[in-house]
Amino acid sequence: MRRRPRVLVTGAAGLVGAEVTARLAAAGHQVTALVHNNSVLVRNDGTALETGAVTCLPGDVTEPRLGLPEAEYRALAAGGLDRIVHCAAVTDFGLPDEVYQAVNVDGTARVLELARAGGVPLVHVGTAYVCGERDGLIRETELDEGQRLANAYEDSKFRAETLVHKAQADGVRAAIVRPSIVVGDERTGVVRDYKNIYVVLKLATEGKVRSIPGQYEARLDLVPVDYVADIITEVTQRFEEAAGRTFHAVGAPLTLRDFSDVMAEYPPFHVPRFIPPTSFDTQRLPRRERVYYERVMTLYESYFRRRMRFDDSHTAGLVTRRPPGDGQDFLRTLIDNCLETGYLGVPMADATEVLARLNITGPNATAAAHATGAPHGTGSTVSDANGVGR
């Protein structure tokens, strides 16, 4: 009887990681899920993976030997694995630089150590936004083009991917998958965690942020979580074809004009004005709106002025499934689900709940907390890599 391939998935409790783990287990692989704090893996639709489908292994990518006992680590390195899928990452914005360094950069370095020690092929999950603030066509073959990286998250993912490329030059066999902004299921819009772009959407539709510096021609690329998981799974299973290449897991890009037009279709929603950045003045904002802008919107504003398009020719050549063809229809699906679950359409009482949802810390956290009454030490989580939504 043919032996089932053995796969280690880091960040298996995260949004993307749990979906990848479920798919690999369903395909008959022996999956070991490296988890940080969670012993139960919850899928995007809220259901738990069946007991026995995977083996959960408590660990920590920020620690030597991935936080594993030496004997267990040596067993993995000595031929215990056929693949490593590295999904573990901090994807929240606004955290201290040292958090991104420890998890996203040093964590990747430690995963590469295991891959190198055991001669194990690696599938590394990065982000399409390693392109930084470049405009125009972003090719899968490009990485360092002298781009300006907009935040510490992007910088850490760029440095992590650079480590993977260096390891490839030293003989580690690897493939890279770069998701864009990971959101809900393509068919249903369901998403397990309302984070990042969802927080921006809530602030905007409730009128808490009415003016945003940005260009109506700017593009946001939203990609369904199920599509991202399908690509990672296929790259893992067809590694011999994928080795040495990078795959963009991207959706149908939307301009900010497209966003505004769709939001205007929903009568209860406020539609924000996008103001050219050169004309935007935070001091003209009402005090409460200024707090939201300084605490939340500054983390995301660079995404409202970028005009990039992601090439996905490698992905199209490997994976039969294609992303949503109509970005506006997909956005409607996401919004409809948010309304059905009550995430949108029920105004928050004040800023406290909004800031608590972000689960981030940053240089402006204390001032914002004092201005709104919100706590400022909300901590962070190690989850999976899913781009800026990731």
Side-chain angles (χ1 to χ4, degrees):
M1 183 178 294
R2 187 177 179 182
R3 181 179 64 82
R4 293 190 298 157
R6 295 161 296 188
V7 183
L8 175 70
V9 180
T10 72
L15 178 64
V16 171
E19 288 301 301
V20 171
T21 299
R23 282 161 170 75
L24 290 172
H29 299 285
Q30 297 181 62
V31 183
T32 299
L34 189 73
V35 294
H36 190 212
N37 295 316
N38 301 289
S39 58
V40 177
L41 302 184
V42 179
R43 298 192 60 180
N44 181 56
D45 63 3
T47 61
L49 277 177
E50 293 182 12
T51 303
V54 301
T55 300
C56 285
L57 188 64
D60 188 341
V61 297
T62 69
E63 298 292 333
R65 300 189 310 272
L66 304 180
L68 301 174
E70 185 170 355
E72 199 156 16
Y73 183 85
R74 288 185 180 276
L76 290 176
L81 295 172
D82 296 293
R83 299 281 189 277
I84 300 172
V85 182
H86 180 40
C87 294
V90 165
T91 58
D92 293 326
F93 284 6
L95 295 171
D97 290 351
E98 55 267 27
V99 175
Y100 297 111
Q101 175 68 38
V103 180
N104 295 354
V105 183
D106 296 343
T108 297
R110 290 191 170 95
V111 170
L112 285 167
E113 287 174 2
L114 176 61
R116 187 179 288 107
V120 186
L122 170 69
V123 177
H124 172 75
V125 182
T127 174
Y129 287 93
V130 291
C131 67
E133 297 187 349
R134 292 175 58 202
D135 288 336
L137 182 65
I138 310 299
R139 300 187 184 278
E140 292 161 305
T141 54
E142 299 170 333
L143 177 58
D144 190 350
E145 300 294 321
Q147 65 269 37
R148 180 182 183 276
L149 297 159
N151 51 52
Y153 165 74
E154 289 183 0
D155 179 70
S156 69
K157 295 300 285 183
F158 173 85
R159 288 185 287 128
E161 188 171 321
T162 300
L163 290 178
V164 176
H165 281 277
K166 289 179 178 178
Q168 286 178 297
D170 293 336
V172 173
R173 302 185 70 212
I176 297 167
V177 179
R178 293 178 185 159
S180 54
I181 303 172
V182 181
V183 290
D185 182 87
E186 180 178 0
R187 184 179 60 84
T188 65
V190 169
V191 68
R192 191 188 74 183
D193 303 318
Y194 293 108
K195 296 173 64 176
N196 294 320
I197 194 67
Y198 285 94
V199 177
V200 174
L201 187 63
K202 188 169 183 67
L203 288 176
T205 58
E206 292 182 1
K208 289 183 169 63
V209 173
R210 295 172 179 264
S211 300
I212 299 173
Q215 306 284 351
Y216 279 103
E217 299 79 17
R219 293 168 176 250
L220 288 177
D221 194 292
L222 307 183
V223 63
V225 59
D226 51 309
Y227 177 64
V228 173
D230 283 348
I231 292 174
I232 296 170
T233 301
E234 192 137 6
V235 168
T236 303
Q237 296 188 120
R238 300 173 62 183
F239 185 84
E240 294 306 316
E241 299 170 64
R245 294 195 289 164
T246 297
F247 300 85
H248 277 156
V250 295
L254 288 155
T255 66
L256 295 191
R257 176 67 66 186
D258 294 330
F259 261 87
S260 295
D261 289 347
V262 170
M263 290 167 65
E265 296 173 6
Y266 294 81
F269 287 178
H270 291 272
V271 180
R273 295 179 304 145
F274 290 99
I275 299 172
T278 54
S279 303
F280 187 81
D281 183 1
T282 57
Q283 297 308 309
R284 295 182 180 180
L285 298 175
R287 179 180 176 275
R288 181 172 290 275
E289 183 175 346
R290 188 164 63 248
V291 169
Y292 285 121
Y293 173 79
E294 292 174 348
R295 180 66 181 93
V296 181
M297 300 306 296
T298 54
L299 300 175
Y300 302 94
E301 65 178 356
S302 74
Y303 298 94
F304 302 135
R305 60 175 181 260
R306 306 189 200 189
R307 303 177 187 180
M308 76 288 129
R309 285 188 305 113
F310 294 112
D311 163 51
D312 66 344
S313 54
H314 286 178
T315 304
L318 184 77
V319 181
T320 55
R321 182 179 173 184
R322 298 301 295 146
D326 189 316
Q328 285 188 312
D329 277 348
F330 180 48
L331 179 59
R332 292 183 187 101
T333 298
L334 298 175
I335 290 175
D336 288 346
N337 175 258
C338 289
L339 289 168
E340 290 168 9
T341 61
Y343 179 75
L344 296 181
V346 181
M348 295 177 179
D350 56 29
T352 302
E353 186 179 347
V354 179
L355 300 183
R357 281 182 184 273
L358 289 176
N359 194 31
I360 60 175
T361 58
N364 297 326
T366 302
H370 289 166
T372 63
H376 63 269
T378 53
S380 64
T381 57
V382 178
S383 56
D384 65 306
N386 56 1
V388 300
R390 304 151 55 260

